[in-house]
Amino acid sequence: MADKTSTDVVTRTTGPYQQEDGNSGSIRTAETLLRLFPVGLCVAALVVMIKDSETNEYGSLSYSNITAFRFLVHANGILAGYSLLSAAFTAVPRPITMSGAWTFFLLDQVLTYLILAAGAVATEVTFLTYKGDVAVTWSEACGTYGHFCRQATTSIIITFLVVICYALLSLFSSYRLFSKYDVPVGYRNKGIEIVDFGN
């Protein structure tokens, strides 16, 4: 009897996903739209940053001169491509496989942290361009290159909207993956020996 219960637990936990329920269509639509929305935001943040340059009597300053801003552009480009591909994949009704669910879960997690890191680094650099830092001999630049700083700030704000979208997507993919696992049955702490090392 115990062997049968154990076999049932393993089968229910590691077997194929259950069939989609009646709400799966609306959930799939919501997830598809949530995956499409960051495409426009990523492209907007990327374009604003790429066009971010200013020339005056003190010289020229461009996003390409600052590594953190180049990182922000690349991160937004990667997420725009992934968002488009994942939205196209999600929009098509199909059974959810274990490998597919894990792939979405892992990629959503990794890319959420990627865009968060890019936004955080760019924010720090922008703060230094506004305030400067005497300790590292970083002089304030926004008094001279005001347009450049405002445009960089706009790109960073848009990027953090992407971060919010991807945080929600991470919840979607987490729910889709882990809700398919059934709670193990037949395990109620029976037969567990508790060792008291104090005696």
Side-chain angles (χ1 to χ4, degrees):
M1 186 67 177
D3 292 339
K4 183 179 184 305
T5 303
S6 300
T7 304
D8 290 344
V9 172
V10 173
T11 302
R12 287 163 62 84
T13 304
T14 60
Y17 279 141
Q18 300 168 358
Q19 295 297 320
E20 294 180 319
D21 56 24
N23 294 327
S24 63
S26 58
I27 292 174
R28 185 175 60 249
T29 301
E31 184 179 1
T32 301
L33 292 175
L34 191 57
R35 288 185 181 279
L36 276 176
F37 187 59
V39 175
L41 292 175
C42 289
V43 171
L46 185 151
V47 169
V48 169
M49 187 61 81
I50 285 179
K51 292 185 175 181
D52 192 10
S53 62
E54 185 173 0
T55 302
N56 54 33
E57 63 270 21
Y58 298 100
S60 298
L61 184 60
S62 171
Y63 89 96
S64 59
N65 301 131
I66 302 175
T67 304
F69 291 169
R70 294 201 306 271
F71 176 38
L72 189 73
V73 167
H74 294 151
N76 275 298
I78 291 170
L79 263 77
Y82 172 74
S83 296
L84 190 59
L85 290 175
S86 64
F89 186 88
T90 306
V92 179
R94 58 168 59 87
I96 302 172
T97 62
M98 180 71 76
S99 59
W102 273 106
T103 300
F104 270 113
F105 172 74
L106 293 174
L107 286 175
D108 287 348
Q109 297 292 322
V110 169
L111 293 178
T112 298
Y113 287 113
L114 174 68
I115 196 64
L116 178 61
V121 171
T123 299
E124 181 180 7
V125 170
T126 303
F127 177 80
L128 289 174
T129 59
Y130 273 103
K131 300 294 183 181
D133 191 339
V134 177
V136 296
T137 63
W138 188 306
S139 59
E140 177 270 332
C142 289
T144 306
Y145 298 96
H147 173 74
F148 176 84
C149 293
R150 288 190 297 272
Q151 202 156 332
T153 302
T154 300
S155 179
I156 292 169
I157 291 171
I158 298 172
T159 298
F160 275 106
L161 294 177
V162 176
V163 171
I164 293 171
C165 289
Y166 263 82
L168 294 174
L169 280 174
S170 294
L171 293 177
F172 257 99
S173 56
S174 299
Y175 173 78
R176 181 173 57 189
L177 175 61
F178 294 110
S179 67
K180 300 302 179 181
Y181 285 93
D182 291 329
V183 177
V185 295
Y187 290 96
R188 308 240 184 255
N189 294 330
K190 293 180 180 178
I192 297 177
E193 182 181 353
I194 300 176
V195 179
D196 186 358
F197 292 99
N199 295 327

